[in-house]
Amino acid sequence: MDRYVVKRPSGEAGGGGKRPRPEAPASGQPLWQEIRAEGLSCDYRLLFSKAEADEIFQQLEEEVEYFEGEMTKLHVFGKWHNIPRRQVTYGDPELTYTYSGVTFSPKPWIPVLNHIRDRVTLDTGHTFNFVLINRYKDGGDHIGEHRDDERELVPRSPIASVSFGACRDFVFRHCDSRGKNATRHIEPIKLQLAHGSLLLMKYPTNVYWYHSLPTRKRVLAPRINLTFRKVMTVVKK
DNA sequence: TCTGAGGCAACTCT
DNA sequence: AAGAGTTGCCTCAG
């Protein structure tokens, strides 16, 4: 079966992370790993050294303030559910973002988020004005299969997904191969998103592929994921 | 015990 | 204005 499993380069495991990662690692491991399939185009790399990632993770835990109350619940198919994770959005003022029929205003940027965003921009050449943060407290927290609603994003702009904390499995599934009425057999693509990693999801991935973060009971530690986006600033009537 | 697949739930937006 | 799209939970089988 086709599986696309991304692992950390061995040179990074447990290393002190004192020196900046060379552009052409001695291991021969390419800096970026290209993940390609029909209608899917993603690039994966480790963005931060372990020391940097540890520091950022700690800062995120101290400084990010998650939504509370009503905003932690979701109304779908006539039922209210608690979202099985914590969420919050940060971004440029005056932007809005609609999720399940509710329009949110992002919180203003804080230094640790600026730092991550600027590093992503430096590495990818893409700018971002908005970030959705999801915190999965352990392997029981998850997100079901979905596509990101791209109607509010700048057309064809990529989404940059940066992960800190516990390494979690991440699954892409093609829209034509989902469920009982699937019209085609296309293997899901399974990745592991490591501490300090960046997954750049490029057009048209989100058009054809759903993604999810399945439960993993053996994972006991939290993971924080940030998805940087470029939201359109059009005025809605 | 864990994982993944399937079935189920009602309403909004286009 | 009909239809497409939809998140999470539960059950069940391997």
Side-chain angles (χ1 to χ4, degrees), chain A residues 198-213:
Chain A
L198 165 63
L199 179 70
L200 190 66
M201 293 185 273
K202 302 190 289 189
Y203 185 86
T205 304
N206 239 328
V207 178
Y208 300 107
W209 293 78
Y210 286 69
H211 56 272
S212 65
L213 192 84

Side-chain angles (χ1 to χ4, degrees), chain A residues 114-175:
Chain A
N114 286 330
H115 176 230
I116 302 165
R117 182 199 60 201
D118 292 348
R119 181 69 159 268
V120 173
T121 294
L122 200 62
D123 245 62
T124 65
H126 293 279
T127 59
F128 304 91
N129 57 14
F130 182 91
V131 63
L132 168 65
I133 305 178
N134 281 288
R135 183 182 188 275
Y136 305 88
K137 68 177 185 299
D138 57 32
D141 275 3
H142 64 278
I143 190 165
E145 272 190 7
H146 68 286
R147 285 181 291 191
D148 292 334
D149 186 353
E150 297 212 316
R151 287 172 300 179
E152 297 184 90
L153 303 184
V154 171
R156 300 186 176 225
S157 60
I159 295 173
S161 169
V162 186
S163 299
F164 298 98
C167 182
R168 289 286 295 266
D169 289 346
F170 181 82
V171 182
F172 283 108
R173 181 173 252 112
H174 194 282
C175 60

Side-chain angles (χ1 to χ4, degrees), chain A residues 4 39 45 103 136 176 182 185 191 203 230:
Chain A
Y4 297 69
R45 68 162 289 189
T103 299
Y136 305 88
D176 291 345
H185 298 287
L191 310 177
Y203 185 86
K230 195 159 190 176

Side-chain angles (χ1 to χ4, degrees), chain A residues 185-228:
Chain A
H185 298 287
I186 299 174
E187 284 296 319
I189 291 179
K190 303 180 181 187
L191 310 177
Q192 293 165 260
L193 302 182
H195 185 43
S197 70
L198 165 63
L199 179 70
L200 190 66
M201 293 185 273
K202 302 190 289 189
Y203 185 86
T205 304
N206 239 328
V207 178
Y208 300 107
W209 293 78
Y210 286 69
H211 56 272
S212 65
L213 192 84
T215 58
R216 287 293 178 263
K217 293 294 186 193
R218 282 166 295 196
V219 174
L220 304 176
R223 166 177 184 259
I224 299 173
N225 178 70
L226 304 91
T227 48
F228 292 90

Side-chain angles (χ1 to χ4, degrees):
Chain A
M1 77 179 126
D2 292 330
R3 295 189 77 213
Y4 297 69
V5 179
V6 176
K7 294 181 175 165
R8 303 185 63 165
S10 55
E12 291 301 325
K18 284 171 280 224
R19 293 187 301 168
R21 187 177 293 108
E23 288 301 300
S27 64
Q29 181 103 24
L31 187 62
W32 289 97
Q33 296 186 41
E34 298 185 345
I35 301 152
R36 298 287 184 275
E38 179 186 319
L40 182 144
S41 177
C42 295
D43 297 336
Y44 177 88
R45 68 162 289 189
L46 288 170
L47 188 60
F48 296 101
S49 69
K50 182 173 187 307
E52 287 176 299
D54 286 350
E55 167 94 30
I56 291 168
F57 179 79
Q58 192 180 326
Q59 275 187 283
L60 291 170
E61 287 289 67
E62 289 167 6
E63 295 167 22
V64 171
E65 298 179 338
Y66 294 89
F67 287 145
E68 295 178 353
E70 290 298 301
M71 288 161 127
T72 65
K73 295 179 186 299
L74 192 60
H75 191 233
V76 193
F77 282 103
K79 281 184 190 164
W80 285 97
H81 298 281
N82 289 314
I83 298 171
R85 59 193 172 274
R86 305 197 75 188
Q87 288 189 324
V88 68
T89 58
Y90 285 79
D92 291 357
E94 297 169 16
L95 286 181
T96 60
Y97 174 72
T98 302
Y99 180 76
S100 282
V102 185
T103 299
F104 299 109
S105 294
K107 299 189 180 200
W109 293 103
I110 57 176
V112 65
L113 298 179
N114 286 330
H115 176 230
I116 302 165
R117 182 199 60 201
D118 292 348
R119 181 69 159 268
V120 173
T121 294
L122 200 62
D123 245 62
T124 65
H126 293 279
T127 59
F128 304 91
N129 57 14
F130 182 91
V131 63
L132 168 65
I133 305 178
N134 281 288
R135 183 182 188 275
Y136 305 88
K137 68 177 185 299
D138 57 32
D141 275 3
H142 64 278
I143 190 165
E145 272 190 7
H146 68 286
R147 285 181 291 191
D148 292 334
D149 186 353
E150 297 212 316
R151 287 172 300 179
E152 297 184 90
L153 303 184
V154 171
R156 300 186 176 225
S157 60
I159 295 173
S161 169
V162 186
S163 299
F164 298 98
C167 182
R168 289 286 295 266
D169 289 346
F170 181 82
V171 182
F172 283 108
R173 181 173 252 112
H174 194 282
C175 60
D176 291 345
S177 67
R178 299 171 70 242
K180 205 185 173 190
N181 308 336
T183 57
R184 306 170 64 194
H185 298 287
I186 299 174
E187 284 296 319
I189 291 179
K190 303 180 181 187
L191 310 177
Q192 293 165 260
L193 302 182
H195 185 43
S197 70
L198 165 63
L199 179 70
L200 190 66
M201 293 185 273
K202 302 190 289 189
Y203 185 86
T205 304
N206 239 328
V207 178
Y208 300 107
W209 293 78
Y210 286 69
H211 56 272
S212 65
L213 192 84
T215 58
R216 287 293 178 263
K217 293 294 186 193
R218 282 166 295 196
V219 174
L220 304 176
R223 166 177 184 259
I224 299 173
N225 178 70
L226 304 91
T227 48
F228 292 90
R229 299 142 194 270
K230 195 159 190 176
V231 175
M232 287 191 287
T233 55
V234 293
V235 179
K236 283 189 181 173
K237 288 184 268 195

